[in-house]
Amino acid sequence: MPNSKRNNNSQTPRLEQKLLLTKTERFYLNILELPYHILREKYLPVVEIDDTYHPYSEDLHGVLVKLLPYLGLTDQEEKVAEYIIYNIDSSGKLRITPLELAEKFNIEVQQAKELIDLIFTEFAEEIQQHTVNENLMYIEPDIIMTPEKVEVRKIEVKDPIITKALQMREETLLKICEEIRKVNEYFLRGYRKYPQIFTMRYMARLLGVHVSTISRAVRNKHVSTPLGILPLRFFFGRILNKKIVLQEIEKLLKLDSELTDAHITLVLKSAGIQISRRTVNKYRRMLEILQNNQNDKTTPSTGG
């Protein structure tokens, strides 16, 4: 029977679907939300399991520059964005004004403000992570993910209640990251440019938990991958920016203008961009209109 099978496969209590949570349930959820380095400090002295992992030193600027390509900026905007990033100080404040930025790059002040807002909105979590505590020199990832397996870093304590909470946290993170690993094997091996993005609602349905449980599990966590240390929410971002998709389609058409929409769809999917043939066709027509407008502007008029 489908119902009995579903019940057998869903032993983990859906804590956040209840209107009232017990004190123990609230404690479990709080433990789930905390990143590894805070748990380690909070429950000292602890016995750490040797996972042969060494903390990876990376400053705020390196982290943000690595994530820049996923904003879908133009080359010029990316240069400005890099300058903004390298002018964020150790307390998370910007050392330049929009006017200074506009003058340096010869852009409108409004555009400078928009780029600053974009950086501080999209990367708010990373900025907080690296500036909330100036003594924090290392990113200590909660998860180690390779194309073959996932490991959640462990902490052992003597208190049985805390031990149980840590075990539940480990199981939840392991289930989430196993699903991510399975569909992102090619990305982790470097064969795809972009990762397969999940929505939290889809992951919640997949694992049979409440969506807020996924949100808590993903928050402030980092995962070590062959491509570097990435925020776990990197795999739960919005669908790729339209600019990125347009740029990728334009590059393909420059290589071969005879490519069909179906061929472009297949190539993009192989790179990790999930898109329909119909959307490819729509974007292709947008590029053609832009190209025609540019040609009209550059073609000299031949007055009689």
Side-chain angles (χ1 to χ4, degrees), residues 150-251:
V150 171
E151 291 180 48
V152 179
R153 300 185 72 197
K154 299 179 181 180
I155 295 177
E156 283 190 342
V157 297
K158 294 179 180 178
D159 188 307
I161 294 177
I162 298 174
T163 297
K164 178 65 176 174
L166 288 170
Q167 285 174 349
M168 290 182 68
R169 174 185 182 275
E170 180 186 346
E171 289 170 8
T172 302
L173 287 174
L174 187 62
K175 288 177 182 177
I176 290 171
C177 291
E178 269 296 340
E179 295 299 333
I180 292 171
R181 182 196 66 80
K182 282 190 287 189
V183 301
N184 279 291
E185 182 181 343
Y186 286 174
F187 171 72
L188 294 169
R189 292 187 187 279
Y191 300 151
R192 283 186 174 180
K193 191 173 180 181
Y194 304 106
Q196 174 67 53
I197 299 298
F198 283 82
T199 65
M200 291 191 185
R201 193 172 297 280
Y202 175 76
M203 183 65 79
R205 285 202 308 268
L206 205 60
L207 301 186
V209 298
H210 195 274
V211 66
S212 55
T213 302
I214 302 297
S215 176
R216 283 176 180 268
V218 168
R219 194 174 301 149
N220 296 321
K221 307 295 191 308
H222 284 77
V223 53
S224 174
T225 75
L227 306 171
I229 294 182
L230 302 170
L232 185 53
R233 72 175 179 86
F234 176 82
F235 296 98
F236 291 87
R238 297 174 300 183
I239 301 305
L240 278 174
N241 190 299
K242 185 172 80 173
K243 285 184 184 177
I244 290 180
V245 182
L246 282 168
Q247 286 167 11
E248 293 297 327
I249 293 173
E250 188 174 18
K251 286 177 190 174

Side-chain angles (χ1 to χ4, degrees), residues 95-107:
R95 293 189 291 245
I96 53 169
T97 66
L99 180 58
E100 290 170 335
L101 192 66
E103 289 174 350
K104 179 172 180 60
F105 288 94
N106 194 28
I107 59 175

Side-chain angles (χ1 to χ4, degrees), residues 23-54:
K23 186 177 179 180
T24 302
E25 288 170 341
R26 282 199 300 271
F27 176 70
Y28 285 169
L29 290 171
N30 287 336
I31 289 288
L32 174 65
E33 190 168 0
L34 291 174
Y36 173 83
H37 71 275
I38 292 180
L39 285 172
R40 194 184 61 179
E41 291 171 10
K42 191 177 180 69
Y43 295 111
L44 283 173
V46 300
V47 179
E48 288 194 62
I49 295 177
D50 181 15
D51 54 15
T52 65
Y53 178 82
H54 300 285

Side-chain angles (χ1 to χ4, degrees), residues 284-295:
R284 186 175 193 158
R285 282 188 278 115
M286 286 172 61
L287 287 169
E288 287 172 358
I289 292 169
L290 288 170
Q291 185 62 45
N292 290 336
N293 289 340
Q294 270 189 336
N295 291 340

